[in-house]
Amino acid sequence: MSNKEIAKIFSQLANLLELKGENHFKVRAYRNAARVIDALPESLEEMVKNGKDLTKLPAIGEQIAQKIEQIVKTGKLPKLERLKKEFPPALLSFLSIEGLGANRVKTLYEKLHVDTVAKLQKMAKEHKIRSLKGFGPKLEEKIAKGLKLLKQEGIRFLYEEAEPFANELKEYLQKAPGVIKVEIAGSFRRRKETVGDLDILASAKEPEIVIDYFTKFPKTAEVISAGETRSTIVLQNSLQVDLRVVKDEHFGSALHYFTGSKAHVLEIRKFAIDMNLKVNEYGVFKGSHNIASKTEEDVYKVFGLNYIEPEIRENRGEIEAARDGKLPNLVTLNDLQGDLHIHTNYSDGLASIEKMVLKARELGHKYIAITDHSNSLSIVKGLDREKIVRYLKEIDKINEKYDDITVLKGMELDILEDGSLPYGSDILIQFDIVLGAVHSKFKLSKEQETERLIKAIKSPYIKVISHISGRLIGKRAPLDLDYQEIFKVLKEEGKFLEINSQPSRLDVNDILAREAKEMGVKFVINSDAHSQMQLEYLKYGINQARRGWLEKDDIANTKGLNEFLQILNR
Ligand code: DGT
Ligand code: CA
Ligand code: CA
């Protein structure tokens, strides 16, 4: 069981106890434990197996340690199972709606008997929520909006949530008797930020044996169907998994079909008709003659197309580009030489500056920027000058100590409501790189928000705009901004647009990234890590960049340090 799964159990436990009205110290203890476990670099399962003392970990006491052992050994926590039976399952999902904490969810449940998404939607529509104590029209509107997001995205899994299951399933199926090839297809292979379900393709001489083995996957909660060549299961975490087993000689065309997207596959089909060919999951047919089916490369080749990477198979012009030899040469993780958005325990990160630097060196970065939050570097009534001095000195010391990595002095600066900055030039001038970000006040009009950002971009100190839309996938809608106008200014000012690699942000998204690229904007891809483990999140940012057709040259942190600093300070 992965740390992520264990963390999720504790966070659900905290939520349910809160709904129940338990002592809030207890609730907080579980929530803190979830946060620590989620960010832990070593596997808890391994630690338990090796008899390590878990209470040495931060936020893990005797009781929580016992629970962890129980989870690792049995796969579940009886206390959580019991609590889950006390509440309708929809209440847990309500908690992910912005503005709804446990108390309010409880009120909705007790006063309006709201226990399904549909009922909550109905109550919002009939304006029955606004008159509840502690609610009001604004909140009612927010709930309605949040519900919409929940329905659109909330039932989907974040790519990163699905990833460990995809890997585990692939490894498992590779051990199925008689299996030849196994590949994860569908939106997961296209590296979409969320996936509706996992689609797996395998090849074998005797599909039934593989299907039977598949339904015995240990984390299966329910077998929905198990036919001769296809099967669907639902895992314990409610992720659905479809398996198709084909003959090995059809693997390429089947992989192309099941990778999708539907729109891309349909467009290829039209392309085939124009060439008097027919295409389906078994191959490309000229009359009754199968002329391409072994590999995806073969399939594209018979159409005279260059190979199209899965990330851009969305029918957004990739087929024409493949025909005309104009496909982008997509950026890869190896191209990155630095990471410019990293938090430490100077603000809300879990590790020290040095710990983050050590991990970044391990990952092969040539340079990084430590960028703690501006408000953590201030005290209530203004700047904490002493803290800033300590912070900057510590970075100097680390630069003296390690000669194979350069640590830039950075800060993630809150852009104020009117677009001005909370610090003056006396402070800002001491920093190598300042990221501008909007963290609060998601309530201005579109024009005001756009103005706010443009004003910040024009400040000589701000070099990067971080997580521009402010969205949290499935939880908080993106800011309504005039993105084209902002991209124009970014380009004019030579400032960078961040692709934030946090799995629930992935901000800017693929579509906006491509639009910005076409307008000549340059990017940085950053982890926004709050722990050592999260430094590896860059791979998710890379996925999003690739989906946005970005190439090495579009991204400033693919350059060596000197060249990077040159373009940064141009
Ligand atoms: P998802 O699961 O919502 O994240 O998105 P996908 O793209 O994984 O879609 P899914 O799971 O419904 O189907 C997997 C692939 O199978 C899809 O990308 C293309 C192929 N496929 C499924 N249904 C159809 C269909 O009705 N027509 C065509 N042409 N292809 C289909
Ligand atoms: Ca799918
Ligand atoms: Ca599917």
Side-chain angles (χ1 to χ4, degrees):
M1 181 167 273
S2 72
N3 289 356
K4 278 242 136 56
E5 292 169 77
I6 299 173
K8 199 161 177 192
I9 289 179
F10 281 106
S11 113
Q12 286 189 338
L13 186 62
N15 287 339
L16 286 168
L17 286 174
E18 201 171 18
L19 273 179
K20 223 183 145 164
E22 276 272 352
N23 171 331
H24 76 270
F25 288 108
K26 216 170 184 178
V27 171
R28 208 163 61 203
Y30 288 132
R31 210 159 266 155
N32 284 340
R35 199 168 86 102
V36 167
I37 293 167
D38 193 52
L40 208 63
E42 21 336 44
S43 147
L44 273 179
E45 186 170 335
E46 291 292 312
M47 289 179 77
V48 170
K49 276 189 191 143
N50 298 330
K52 291 262 170 66
D53 180 5
L54 303 180
T55 60
K56 295 232 166 77
L57 297 168
I60 311 290
E62 200 64 54
Q63 280 201 13
I64 294 182
Q66 274 174 15
K67 291 200 167 65
I68 294 173
E69 278 179 34
Q70 200 170 18
I71 296 168
V72 167
K73 284 182 184 146
T74 66
K76 52 185 153 215
L77 188 63
K79 189 181 166 92
L80 177 66
E81 303 303 314
R82 277 198 306 274
L83 271 167
K84 272 186 173 169
K85 291 198 184 108
E86 291 182 33
F87 299 99
L91 298 198
L92 266 184
S93 61
F94 293 166
L95 286 171
S96 70
I97 296 173
E98 234 200 344
L100 282 186
N103 281 332
R104 285 182 177 144
V105 170
K106 226 166 91 185
T107 308
L108 288 168
Y109 181 47
E110 285 167 1
K111 296 266 145 64
L112 297 178
H113 312 291
V114 166
D115 55 4
T116 62
V117 170
K119 259 193 207 160
L120 184 57
Q121 209 162 19
K122 184 162 173 271
M123 292 296 161
K125 214 171 154 191
E126 293 172 2
H127 299 311
K128 297 245 166 73
I129 294 174
R130 55 178 62 190
S131 49
L132 289 173
K133 203 173 155 213
F135 283 75
K138 269 241 163 80
L139 186 57
E140 186 180 76
E141 204 178 303
K142 203 166 169 184
I143 292 170
K145 261 196 198 157
L147 261 173
K148 235 198 210 149
L149 272 182
L150 190 70
K151 281 188 79 179
Q152 279 165 13
E153 304 171 341
I155 25 175
R156 298 175 63 85
F157 281 71
L158 290 181
Y159 176 87
E160 176 243 8
E161 286 173 328
E163 188 181 28
F165 296 94
N167 293 338
E168 209 177 318
L169 275 157
K170 186 170 173 183
E171 219 173 277
Y172 175 79
L173 282 169
Q174 273 162 343
K175 288 184 237 146
V179 84
I180 304 167
K181 292 193 190 86
V182 181
E183 203 58 72
I184 313 286
S187 52
F188 185 84
R189 183 161 182 249
R190 303 197 311 279
R191 306 289 184 252
K192 254 185 101 156
E193 59 199 30
T194 62
V195 301
D197 66 3
L198 287 176
D199 304 281
I200 308 184
L201 181 70
S203 63
K205 281 215 173 82
E206 295 177 86
E208 299 95 328
I209 299 175
V210 179
I211 297 280
D212 183 57
Y213 182 85
F214 172 65
T215 58
K216 299 198 168 98
F217 181 64
K219 285 178 183 166
T220 307
E222 197 185 341
V223 177
I224 305 279
S225 68
E228 276 167 28
T229 61
R230 59 168 79 201
S231 169
T232 296
I233 61 173
V234 176
L235 304 184
Q236 282 151 4
N237 65 351
S238 75
L239 177 61
Q240 184 180 308
V241 188
D242 293 342
L243 173 71
R244 267 299 280 267
V245 189
V246 299
K247 289 200 183 118
D248 199 52
E249 62 260 36
H250 297 147
F251 194 79
S253 43
L255 184 59
H256 181 258
Y257 179 84
F258 290 112
T259 296
S261 63
K262 259 174 228 170
H264 173 88
V265 171
L266 283 176
E267 200 60 24
I268 291 280
R269 206 162 278 176
K270 281 194 214 152
F271 205 82
I273 293 169
D274 289 344
M275 294 175 71
N276 256 327
L277 297 171
K278 214 186 101 200
V279 58
N280 59 30
E281 60 243 68
Y282 303 104
V284 184
F285 295 86
K286 195 176 210 165
S288 61
H289 192 56
N290 193 343
I291 57 171
S293 69
K294 271 212 176 68
T295 69
E296 283 190 320
E297 282 81 356
D298 294 343
V299 171
Y300 284 115
K301 211 156 147 198
V302 290
F303 295 121
L305 299 173
N306 289 335
Y307 178 76
I308 302 175
E309 302 280 357
E311 289 92 329
I312 61 170
R313 297 184 196 169
E314 298 290 347
N315 191 26
R316 296 180 189 145
E318 70 277 11
I319 296 173
E320 293 83 339
R323 181 194 60 202
D324 302 342
K326 288 191 173 146
L327 282 172
N329 193 357
L330 301 178
V331 63
T332 67
L333 186 57
N334 265 334
D335 292 331
L336 293 184
Q337 303 212 34
D339 183 350
L340 305 156
H341 189 162
I342 294 172
H343 294 276
T344 74
N345 54 12
Y346 269 89
S347 64
D348 56 352
L350 290 177
S352 64
I353 296 182
E354 184 158 14
K355 279 238 165 94
M356 295 304 273
V357 171
L358 286 172
K359 177 73 188 184
R361 274 170 89 223
E362 220 180 279
L363 294 175
H365 293 330
K366 295 286 178 282
Y367 53 94
I368 59 171
I370 298 294
T371 55
D372 276 305
H373 289 285
S374 55
N375 57 8
S376 299
L377 297 174
S378 17
I379 47 178
V380 186
K381 286 201 181 108
L383 299 175
D384 188 344
R385 287 181 191 269
E386 263 172 45
K387 190 169 179 185
I388 293 181
V389 169
R390 255 188 294 133
Y391 178 76
L392 296 175
K393 267 205 183 132
E394 195 169 328
I395 296 177
D396 280 333
K397 261 197 1 229
I398 282 169
N399 274 319
E400 277 162 34
K401 191 160 165 190
Y402 302 102
D403 54 13
D404 52 359
I405 187 165
T406 299
V407 184
L408 302 175
K409 295 167 181 162
M411 170 155 60
E412 181 178 4
L413 192 67
D414 247 334
I415 299 170
L416 301 179
E417 200 167 330
D418 64 353
S420 66
L421 306 179
Y423 289 179
S425 16
D426 55 325
I427 298 289
L428 295 179
I429 202 146
Q430 302 179 61
F431 285 79
D432 301 311
I433 180 166
V434 175
L435 319 175
V438 168
H439 280 107
S440 52
K441 303 274 175 5
F442 288 90
K443 58 180 179 216
L444 301 177
S445 70
K446 179 173 177 176
E447 289 70 32
Q448 287 168 321
E449 282 291 6
T450 303
E451 268 306 295
R452 176 190 195 180
L453 271 163
I454 287 177
K455 186 164 167 199
I457 294 165
K458 287 185 172 164
S459 150
Y461 296 106
I462 299 257
K463 301 291 187 189
V464 175
I465 294 297
S466 285
H467 47 70
I468 186 168
S469 85
R471 72 162 175 174
L472 292 173
I473 296 171
K475 292 195 179 137
R476 186 201 289 152
L479 283 175
D480 186 17
L481 296 168
D482 186 342
Y483 287 97
Q484 284 67 32
E485 195 54 37
I486 293 171
F487 295 160
K488 215 176 84 198
V489 181
L490 278 170
K491 152 101 173 120
E492 279 162 15
E493 298 286 320
K495 304 294 175 70
F496 301 107
L497 183 57
E498 178 184 77
I499 293 191
N500 187 289
S501 304
Q502 291 285 319
S504 58
R505 288 194 182 271
L506 292 170
D507 191 2
V508 290
N509 71 16
D510 46 359
I511 293 175
L512 286 172
R514 183 154 168 220
E515 250 178 79
K517 172 195 164 112
E518 275 164 12
M519 291 176 69
V521 174
K522 296 291 177 198
F523 296 79
V524 286
I525 301 178
N526 290 331
S527 70
D528 194 0
H530 287 68
S531 68
Q532 285 184 305
M533 187 269 288
Q534 290 187 357
L535 285 165
E536 296 180 48
Y537 279 179
L538 281 178
K539 63 181 173 184
Y540 304 124
I542 286 284
N543 287 345
Q544 193 75 316
R546 289 168 64 85
R547 289 184 53 84
W549 292 49
L550 299 196
E551 301 174 282
K552 191 174 169 185
D553 267 349
D554 297 315
I555 297 149
N557 51 332
T558 61
K559 312 284 181 198
L561 176 66
N562 289 334
E563 199 183 337
F564 172 74
L565 289 176
Q566 255 175 35
I567 45 177
L568 186 73
N569 295 313
R570 201 164 35 205

